[in-house]
Every structure is written in C-alpha cells, then in structure tokens.
Amino acid sequence: MKIVRSRPPWLPCAALVLAAATAAAAELPERIDNLLAQSPAAQTAFWGIQIVDLASGATLYDRNSSHFFVPASNTKLFTTAMALARLGPNFRFYTRVLAEQPPDAEGRIRGPLRLVGGGDPNLSARILPYQPGPSTGNPLAAIEDLAGQIAARGVKRIEGSIIGDDTWYVWEPYAEGWAIDDPQYGYGAPVSALTLNDNTLTLTVHPGARPGMLAALQLDPPIEYYQIDNRVLTTAARGASKVEMNRLPGSRQLRLWGTLPMNRTETMQVAVDDPAEFAAMALRRALEERGITVTGGIAVAHEYPNQEQDLTQRPEAPAPTGYELARRTSGPLIEDLQVTDKVSQNLHAELALRAVARERRHIGSIEAGLAELQLFLDEAGIPKEAYSLHDGSGLSRLNLVTPAAVVGLLRYMYRSPFREDWISLLPVGNQDGTLTTRLNGAAAGLIHAKTGSLSHVSALSGYAVRPDGTWLAFSILVNNHDGPNGEVRGVIDRICSLMVE
C-alpha cells in the first residue's frame, strides 16, 4: 500500500505551516486533559497515553506512559512487526499429504496417509488479499484441493488411517493467562500447525416450524465433530433471543439452551479442541466423496512440550519425510498479517509467533517465539523493563506493556525498510477492519491504528496523519474502566480527532 500524505488544497509557506503546527502542538495537551476531566467514562479508569511527532521526535502529550497496562490486542503490533521483519513479506507456508510409499499399480496406498500442517493460517474460505466483509466461500476448498490432487495421482484405496500431523509446531494450544472459557469460542481457538477454517465450526441456530419446537441446527463446514445437546426452544415472533452455549474443557459435548423467536436466527463460532483431528476428518470425507476407500480410522500426531529438552531453540528442525501425494502453498505472509491486524485475528497472531520461532530457532513453540520477540525488541531499542508478554495475540490477561514501549515500536517500524508494508497492516479509520465504523469525522482516513479490547480494557495505538502532512505515533491504553465500552472508545476517538485537527 502506498502511503499518501493528506494535504489541504492550499499550500501556505513553510513558516506559516511550522507556526500553525507549533500552536496546535501547544494546545493539544490542554485539550486532551479537558476532555478526560469532563468525561464520566474517563474519570474512574486508568489512562496511559503518549503522542510523539515522528519528524522532530518531540513528545506532544504524555500521561502515565511509563506505567504498565494490559494491552489486549495491541499485543499484535509486537507480533506482526516481528513476523514482518524476521520472515519478510513474501514468506510462505506449505501443507503436504504424505504416504510411506507411492501407490501401487492398482492405486492402493499401503499404510497411513499423513496430512502434515506447515502453519498455514488460511486453509479456509477467506479471500486474500484482505477485503472488508465476511467470507462466503467454501471453508473446505483447501482440503478438497488436496484430495483432488491425491485422486489425480490414481489413488483408489488407502489401507490405513488418516493422520492429522501438526508436529511442525509444539502442541501448546493455549497460552498462559487465557480465560477458562476462551477455548469454547472462535476468538480462543486452539493453536495448531494444521489449521482448517480458523479451527472453528460456524453453528447457526434456526427456529423450529412453530413455537414450542426445538430449534434446528446447521454446521458449516458440515463435520460432526461434537455431540450436541440441543435444548433451544422456539418462541413466538417477538422479543429477543436468549441462546446460551457451554462446553466443559476437554469435553466433546456441546450444550445449547435458551429460547429463539420464530423470526430470528443465531450464529456463533465454536472452536474445535483438536484442529489436527478436525482436519483429518475433513480430508477423509473429501477422499471418500471422490470414491477413494479409506479402511482405517482417524489419528493425530502432536509434538508435546515434554518431548523437547529446550523449548527456546534447537540445532535444526526436523523435516517431514515420506512420499508426497499433494501439496498446497500459501499466499505471501504480508496478506495474512493484514488479516491479523485488520480484523484482530487471535489465532493468526499466535501462528505468526510460532512461524518466527520455527524459522529462526528451529522449534515452533511459544517459548521460542517469545525469546525471539525479546531479541527483536532489543534491536528496536525497547527496554525489557517496559513489557512482559505471554502470548502473541493479546488474549492473555498477563500481558503488560507501557505506552512508551508501544510508541517505541511504532517509531522503529516507521523508520524501517518495511514502513509501507507495516502501515498497510493497520486498520484505517472509517475505512476498514476494526475501525470501519469508527473515526468518521475529522479523523476519517487519517488514523492507521490497531484496536484492543478485553473486559475493562480498551486500546488504540498507531499513527495519525495531520492536515499538514506530518505523522504522529501514538498509544492510548485504558485499563480498569467499568462502563460501556462504547463510551471509552468515544473518548479515545475524540483524542484521535484532536490529534489531526
């Protein structure tokens, strides 16, 4: 993406521009302080703000910038910056289907078939490069492509199991500090080197034919991974729906209950708890649809943390072995990093952390990813005392950063050779991603920033483009607010407007 610097239609002389910018900078602290003092939503929360002029290096505003805050999804700034810098925008992932030997003259594979994940986050219906709006394609298209390649090799029969193999990364599906109920939902899907459809099922609840009947359920993709206990009752076409979902950790039983009016449907993203098994089930289904007989069952291969002596690095990474029947190559990394930051995709951020770990330290673990992140931040000049990170996505409630550390990262990436690629990852106010419906006034199109949200946490950090073409780096982290999220976001957006007025 080419960064276009906004300018007014008239071009005053340089002295007048400098004078106007100086006056605006002088007014900014007072205007922000007044805004925070007058907002009930701001008064009981803890605010950390730093705003820096990228040209001069001058700090235009500072409030608690050296204090720790839970950053929520602003953590993704650290992860995606490292992935872009360490792997480069054109890095790609590979998914393979391997057998122990080639098919015989009759098209038989003797032994198991392994579906080997290589960390590709986009074996899904997602359209790349990033486009605003929902994905409406076939979530199993990638698996069906692999199955089609196998059929084209003349395979007729597999005398063995279908193995979902995600040993490319260490099997650490959840990071320290995630809430116990996060893994039920799509935003907390487990992390695996073999990721299909973001490791989720879309469950749509439809009303029954008349009040009092059980609701009807629809799964996409149509893979019966869970046993579903459906107790949702249809009600008359009035009132709100009240559909609840619960799955105990480690359980394969999904419980649904509540009420659904005749004129409503409810859709929820349900995470699968073993993505490798889920993908193997999908591949077996696709093979059988193509007339290929599979005599064995479904199995999984994980690399567990206790199988490695050192989870921060190893001398070399083992490569998959076997006869390759099919392969799928991902798009360039830059396209996935755009998805990660634009829509704040937690799973993809975690996969990016592990991709760097595998490439740089030969082991795809959380520990190796965080160790490499510390080295990257050392190079960026960000002191270790300014952050404590426990995952790649920001879902961990244990993460802590200072606003000054976030601004330090933004300044480093702005000066880096990846500047334009980096800025292209960020949501743009009133245009796309998580800022599509925000910043629709004076700041529309002038804020390139990453959002963040958890219970009692709101964040926005990135860049502001002033009318005179100057760029600011800023970080706004808000913790311990207990009012509606919209009120706090409104104050944050107003600060953004003040920066560009």
Side-chain angles (χ1 to χ4, degrees):
M1 168 179 144
K2 185 175 182 179
I3 306 304
V4 179
R5 287 158 172 76
S6 301
R7 289 189 180 274
W10 40 269
L11 293 173
C13 70
L16 290 179
V17 171
L18 179 60
T22 303
E27 295 172 359
L28 185 62
E30 182 179 357
R31 298 177 75 184
I32 294 176
D33 286 341
N34 289 340
L35 174 64
L36 295 178
Q38 294 168 10
S39 168
Q43 290 173 3
T44 57
F46 185 45
W47 289 71
I49 306 173
Q50 188 175 77
I51 304 171
V52 171
D53 185 306
L54 286 168
S56 67
T59 299
L60 306 184
Y61 186 84
D62 193 288
R63 175 185 288 250
N64 299 320
S65 70
S66 62
H67 288 259
F68 272 139
F69 290 81
V70 177
S73 284
N74 272 203
T75 304
K76 293 182 179 71
L77 291 169
F78 293 84
T79 309
T80 55
M82 176 181 68
L84 181 61
R86 288 295 198 245
L87 302 178
N90 295 313
F91 181 86
R92 294 176 189 266
F93 303 91
Y94 302 94
T95 306
R96 302 171 175 88
V97 180
L98 303 175
E100 293 177 354
Q101 56 189 3
D104 64 18
E106 297 178 359
R108 289 180 298 185
I109 297 287
R110 299 183 185 274
L113 206 64
R114 286 191 297 135
L115 173 59
V116 181
D120 188 350
N122 290 298
L123 301 177
S124 68
R126 182 172 290 106
I127 298 173
L128 296 174
Y130 165 78
Q131 297 179 20
S135 299
T136 57
N138 177 10
L140 298 181
I143 290 294
E144 292 180 1
D145 172 51
L146 292 169
Q149 292 182 48
I150 294 168
R153 291 290 192 106
V155 175
K156 304 294 184 183
R157 182 181 176 88
I158 297 164
E159 297 182 349
S161 301
I162 305 298
I163 302 174
D165 183 338
D166 68 358
T167 56
W168 195 257
Y169 297 159
V170 177
W171 179 235
E172 299 171 298
Y174 311 110
E176 183 182 21
W178 288 17
I180 193 169
D181 59 342
D182 287 341
Q184 293 185 83
Y185 305 103
Y187 69 81
V191 185
S192 167
L194 183 50
T195 283
L196 174 63
N197 194 43
D198 294 337
N199 298 336
T200 63
L201 290 161
T202 300
L203 176 61
T204 304
V205 186
H206 299 277
R210 59 182 180 274
M213 292 186 65
L214 283 176
L217 305 180
Q218 179 184 358
L219 286 173
D220 187 30
I223 297 174
E224 295 183 4
Y225 184 84
Y226 287 120
Q227 176 188 355
I228 302 178
D229 180 6
N230 174 24
R231 303 192 183 192
V232 179
L233 293 176
T234 306
T235 62
R238 60 179 180 271
S241 62
K242 298 179 181 179
V243 179
E244 302 288 341
M245 180 185 77
N246 176 259
R247 180 176 66 83
L248 295 177
S251 169
R252 287 292 176 91
Q253 185 178 58
L254 193 67
R255 296 178 59 245
L256 297 173
W257 69 95
T259 57
L260 184 69
M262 288 284 295
N263 61 342
R264 296 286 300 275
T265 61
E266 285 287 331
T267 300
M268 53 192 73
Q269 298 296 317
V270 182
V272 299
D273 68 344
D274 192 328
E277 181 180 358
F278 178 59
M281 291 170 68
L283 180 59
R284 175 174 179 155
R285 180 176 180 270
L287 291 169
E288 291 176 340
E289 287 176 346
R290 285 157 178 77
I292 299 174
T293 300
V294 180
T295 64
I298 298 298
V300 295
H302 298 310
E303 181 184 27
Y304 293 95
N306 66 329
Q307 295 176 249
E308 293 292 334
Q309 293 184 345
D310 184 356
L311 287 171
T312 63
Q313 60 183 4
R314 63 185 169 196
E316 59 182 350
T321 59
Y323 179 81
E324 185 174 293
L325 289 166
R327 172 187 289 229
R328 187 173 178 87
T329 303
S330 77
L333 177 67
I334 184 70
E335 294 181 350
D336 182 65
L337 295 181
Q338 287 173 343
V339 170
T340 303
D341 280 341
K342 293 282 190 185
V343 306
S344 203
Q345 224 294 342
N346 291 328
L347 173 61
H348 291 214
E350 297 296 341
L351 290 168
L353 182 75
R354 289 155 179 79
V356 174
R358 169 87 189 196
E359 186 71 10
R360 301 280 294 193
R361 292 170 174 262
H362 311 302
I363 181 168
S365 67
I366 296 174
E367 293 82 356
L370 294 176
E372 190 65 23
L373 180 58
Q374 179 177 309
L375 183 60
F376 170 71
L377 295 179
D378 286 347
E379 294 170 7
I382 299 171
K384 297 178 180 64
E385 298 77 20
Y387 62 90
S388 178
L389 297 174
H390 296 262
D391 72 0
S393 64
L395 196 54
S396 175
R397 279 70 170 176
L398 300 179
N399 290 335
L400 294 171
V401 301
T402 67
V406 180
V407 170
L409 175 72
L410 293 167
R411 295 177 71 180
Y412 177 78
M413 293 303 292
Y414 188 82
R415 297 191 302 264
S416 78
F418 301 105
R419 178 195 295 185
E420 291 199 3
D421 283 335
W422 165 245
I423 295 175
S424 78
L425 308 185
L426 304 177
V428 182
N430 199 229
Q431 289 188 11
D432 63 18
T434 53
L435 290 178
T436 300
T437 60
R438 293 176 60 178
L439 300 162
N440 58 357
L446 300 178
I447 303 296
H448 305 254
K450 181 71 196 73
T451 55
S453 181
L454 285 171
S455 297
H456 313 297
V457 177
S458 288
L460 187 70
S461 300
Y463 304 98
V465 189
R466 287 189 147 177
D468 64 357
T470 58
W471 282 64
L472 309 180
F474 70 91
S475 179
I476 305 171
L477 306 180
V478 189
N479 283 191
N480 303 328
H481 68 77
D482 200 31
N485 285 335
E487 293 184 13
V488 172
R489 284 197 295 266
V491 177
I492 293 173
D493 291 358
R494 181 57 184 151
I495 294 173
C496 289
S497 295
L498 292 176
M499 282 191 283
V500 299
E501 286 178 356

